[in-house]
Amino acid sequence: VMQTQVWQVWTLELNVLMLCLFLSFAVHADMTVGAQNVVQAKMLNGEIAAMKRLLDLACDVTVELDGGLRIVEQVPRLMAMLTLDHHTRCAQGVTLQQFMPHEEDRSRFENLLQASGEDVETPGLEPGVLHATLRASGGTLLKVEIFYVRFSVLSSRGH
């Protein structure tokens, strides 16, 4: 009887030890995944910032659009290019197509950007270029090249 009780206590302690080890591994794995996600998010944000700085060096104007093709944030360089007073006219929330006087340009722009990356195995890796005309203040027409690439960042907000 004494041997049976010792065996039961030992079995119980072994089961508790195994449960503790399992929980320890589960918590460690969860913390490791969480830490990896934080590190990856910081690295991704750093890469995006570097990409934006590079685009600013190479392009006259860089504009980020949301899924509805509206300008995400104020773009002073766009306002300057279109000779619009950035204090009286805000481009944030406006579609870039509103500056395109030709229906053909607006339509092609919308079709290309909405289709960009949809039929590709890895969305966001299909860049393109579009020649269009923008209307500046005073009715001046500007011929521009619009380079675009669709990308999704944690919030899935941009083109």
Side-chain angles (χ1 to χ4, degrees), residues 54-106:
L54 181 61
L55 284 172
D56 283 340
L57 290 172
C59 300
D60 293 327
V61 177
T62 304
V63 178
E64 184 178 348
L65 306 176
D66 64 14
L69 303 181
R70 288 179 298 279
I71 298 172
V72 173
E73 56 192 31
Q74 185 61 291
V75 188
R77 290 170 113 182
L78 176 65
M79 298 291 93
M81 184 177 93
L82 298 176
T83 61
L84 299 173
D85 182 1
H86 69 290
H87 296 293
T88 59
R89 179 88 187 241
C90 178
Q92 186 173 353
V94 173
T95 64
L96 196 56
Q97 304 90 289
Q98 289 178 295
F99 298 109
M100 297 178 186
H102 305 302
E103 176 58 36
E104 179 183 313
D105 287 346
R106 289 190 299 266

Side-chain angles (χ1 to χ4, degrees), residues 91-132:
Q92 186 173 353
V94 173
T95 64
L96 196 56
Q97 304 90 289
Q98 289 178 295
F99 298 109
M100 297 178 186
H102 305 302
E103 176 58 36
E104 179 183 313
D105 287 346
R106 289 190 299 266
S107 178
R108 192 172 54 232
F109 177 80
E110 290 170 7
N111 291 335
L112 287 172
L113 264 69
Q114 289 173 347
S116 169
E118 286 180 0
D119 297 325
V120 181
E121 281 185 32
T122 310
L125 297 181
E126 194 61 37
V129 65
L130 164 71
H131 295 267

